[in-house]
Amino acid sequence: MHAKVLAGSRCEHGWRVQRGENDWKGFLENFTQVVELSREEAQCRQSASPEEFATPYDALLDLHCAGDTQALIGGVLDELREALPPLLQAVMDKQASEEVVDLSGHYPIDMQHKLSEELMRKLGFDFNAGRLDVSLHPFSTGGRGDQRITTRYRETDFADALQATAHETGHASYEAGLPQALQSFPLGRARNMCIHESQSLMFEKQIFLSRSFTEAMAGLIKRFLPSASFPDADALWAAQTRVKPSFIRVEADEVTYPLHVMLRYDIESALINGQMGAADIPAAWESSMQQYLGLSVDGNHAIGCLQDIHWTDGAFGYFPSYTMGAVNAAQLMASFKQQYPDWQAEFSRGDTAFVREWLSENIWQYGCQFESQDLMRSATGEGSNATALLAHLRSRYLEESD
């Protein structure tokens, strides 16, 4: 592990310059050792628990997605692999003829910050036990009674900061809702990153980006940012739900994001399982970009395989948590909606307390007392699968109803 930490540190620091210079060759010199050491770690972990880990990659998945195996995640991604490309095309065909307002403009950062704080209040964040700050990349940190989240702002765009704020509020809410009686014990911790990401995506995609909650936000946005150029909540919602294939994962929309994760999962699982070499990544990346998104990086690795920081220090197995989080969030939301048929009326008034109560009862209070799939079955009646996410995407982007 000492060797891996040193190799990862060299690789990450080199990447900070090499990405900007599109220097794949220079990056590969450091990255090759990271891959070799990660493979060695995976094989050691698998050898120590062969009954638990079917593949070396399973052993690294366990560090981030404990309880969710490669077989499970691969099955979910296969469901998405089949359904998403035609769904993406149908959404793009539908949206091609639609006119949408341009949300770009000049929005003072101090007013955006106040707006983000108002959003957090609507989502139930307790400012007596936390705060909002600014960083280059949004994140959530802190402990019970001191939940700290950050977001980032651009003067020309308010929508990106609001989504990031909602996302991190979800992470912070999960941590704050974990069982207080068990806070000093491992059982009191969050289950895994697939569940953690489901909480952040519940708040960002299922609540904040819903058409009904947008009704509550439209007035707030106009109050804090009076120059925002949308005539009503419907226009605001339409502008925030555009779908278009893009190169950068963190800028991807809700429909295309799983395709970005799928590409990375395909590569990293093959790397760790010894089916691909590090030098093969650019060609595999280009092939998958064309297959999944119809795009070519054309040798620009800065918008291709050099764009993420995760692999530089050997964090293989983390990427799947993003899409498993989206899958779990949609599944949880579907179950929630069955129990609360009037949810849209509540959302349109900006009331989310009943969602937090449901999540506390079904997810938060258990910490990591149950494996992730047992937790999902308890809350939704079935283990993680792509059915609810695909239904959600069809409803939101083809039927304009969610």
Side-chain angles (χ1 to χ4, degrees):
M1 288 303 294
H2 181 261
K4 185 184 175 186
V5 170
L6 290 177
S9 180
R10 283 193 298 270
C11 189
E12 180 185 329
H13 282 276
W15 168 84
R16 293 177 185 276
V17 174
Q18 291 154 353
R19 178 187 178 186
E21 296 178 348
N22 193 34
D23 183 10
W24 167 256
K25 184 177 180 181
F27 175 76
L28 184 61
E29 291 181 10
N30 291 325
F31 183 59
T32 298
Q33 186 179 17
V34 172
V35 172
E36 291 173 351
L37 291 168
S38 296
R39 283 177 176 169
E40 183 179 345
E41 177 189 1
Q43 290 164 2
C44 289
R45 289 180 179 273
Q46 184 192 24
S47 297
S49 302
E51 71 290 344
E52 184 177 357
F53 304 130
T55 68
Y57 183 62
D58 268 308
L60 297 191
L61 273 175
D62 186 65
L63 300 176
H64 312 288
C65 305
D68 295 338
T69 64
Q70 182 175 1
L72 170 70
I73 293 172
V76 171
L77 293 183
D78 283 344
E79 292 180 74
L80 295 172
R81 198 186 311 272
E82 180 178 353
L84 277 181
L87 174 59
L88 170 60
Q89 189 60 56
V91 173
M92 291 173 61
D93 290 344
K94 177 182 179 297
Q95 293 188 348
S97 61
E98 298 174 353
E99 292 186 10
V100 295
V101 298
D102 183 1
L103 295 180
S104 63
H106 176 73
Y107 307 111
I109 299 302
D110 62 331
M111 298 308 292
Q112 287 196 59
H113 189 78
K114 291 179 180 179
L115 176 59
S116 280
E117 289 180 332
E118 285 299 309
L119 169 60
M120 292 166 66
R121 289 187 180 95
K122 284 195 173 296
L123 294 175
F125 188 86
D126 181 5
F127 278 96
N128 291 319
R131 57 180 289 152
L132 172 67
D133 291 292
V134 182
S135 65
L136 291 176
H137 187 83
F139 64 89
S140 173
T141 188
R144 180 176 294 278
D146 186 17
Q147 296 297 326
R148 302 184 177 215
I149 73 172
T150 71
T151 193
R152 61 184 174 194
Y153 303 103
R154 290 182 292 176
E155 287 194 347
T156 59
D157 173 27
F158 64 81
D160 182 62
L162 289 176
Q163 287 200 50
T165 298
H167 186 96
E168 300 307 331
T169 300
H171 280 307
S173 296
Y174 182 23
E175 290 289 335
L178 292 171
Q180 186 170 0
L182 297 175
Q183 64 179 320
S184 300
F185 303 94
L187 284 177
R189 298 172 184 169
R191 175 60 269 176
N192 68 14
M193 287 311 301
C194 298
I195 298 297
H196 226 306
E197 286 296 331
S198 77
Q199 302 308 286
S200 60
L201 291 169
M202 273 282 287
F203 278 67
E204 178 191 0
K205 303 301 186 184
Q206 300 295 329
I207 300 175
F208 171 76
L209 207 56
S210 69
R211 192 166 193 142
S212 49
F213 191 78
T214 302
E215 295 178 24
M217 287 301 301
L220 275 178
I221 293 171
K222 284 290 190 180
R223 190 203 322 165
F224 286 93
L225 306 173
S227 65
S229 56
F230 58 89
D232 53 33
D234 286 342
L236 173 62
W237 182 81
Q240 293 187 104
T241 52
R242 295 298 89 190
V243 172
K244 182 180 180 181
S246 60
F247 293 102
I248 306 300
R249 173 185 60 85
V250 297
E251 298 175 359
D253 56 76
E254 196 176 13
V255 178
T256 60
Y257 195 101
L259 296 169
H260 286 269
V261 171
M262 192 181 305
L263 178 157
R264 290 155 172 80
Y265 166 85
D266 292 345
I267 291 174
E268 70 176 22
S269 59
L271 271 178
I272 300 303
N273 288 334
Q275 299 158 336
M276 178 189 295
D280 300 324
I281 291 178
W285 193 285
E286 175 69 10
S287 175
S288 292
M289 282 296 288
Q290 293 188 26
Q291 177 186 351
Y292 295 150
L293 295 164
L295 299 175
S296 170
V297 300
D298 196 26
N300 184 356
H301 304 302
I303 60 171
C305 55
L306 287 179
Q307 67 180 265
D308 296 301
I309 197 172
H310 301 59
W311 288 345
T312 62
D313 64 354
F316 299 103
Y318 193 100
F319 279 122
S321 71
Y322 294 129
T323 289
M324 290 301 293
V327 164
N328 291 337
Q331 201 166 316
L332 291 168
M333 193 64 176
S335 292
F336 164 80
K337 288 176 179 179
Q338 290 178 355
Q339 295 183 37
Y340 291 92
D342 61 343
W343 65 274
Q344 289 173 309
E346 300 295 326
F347 276 16
S348 67
R349 292 191 290 269
D351 182 3
T352 62
F354 65 130
V355 188
R356 296 179 65 91
E357 291 172 4
W358 189 89
L359 289 171
S360 178
E361 180 181 345
N362 289 278
I363 302 295
W364 301 348
Q365 69 161 322
Y366 295 115
C368 65
Q369 296 176 60
F370 304 111
E371 292 288 350
S372 57
Q373 291 308 301
D374 292 333
L375 195 59
M376 288 301 296
R377 278 188 284 268
S378 173
T380 72
E382 55 186 345
S384 301
N385 63 83
T387 302
L389 177 60
L390 291 170
H392 159 72
L393 295 176
R394 293 187 184 103
S395 175
R396 173 170 288 175
Y397 294 96
L398 294 179
E399 302 166 12
E400 298 188 356
S401 173
D402 65 350

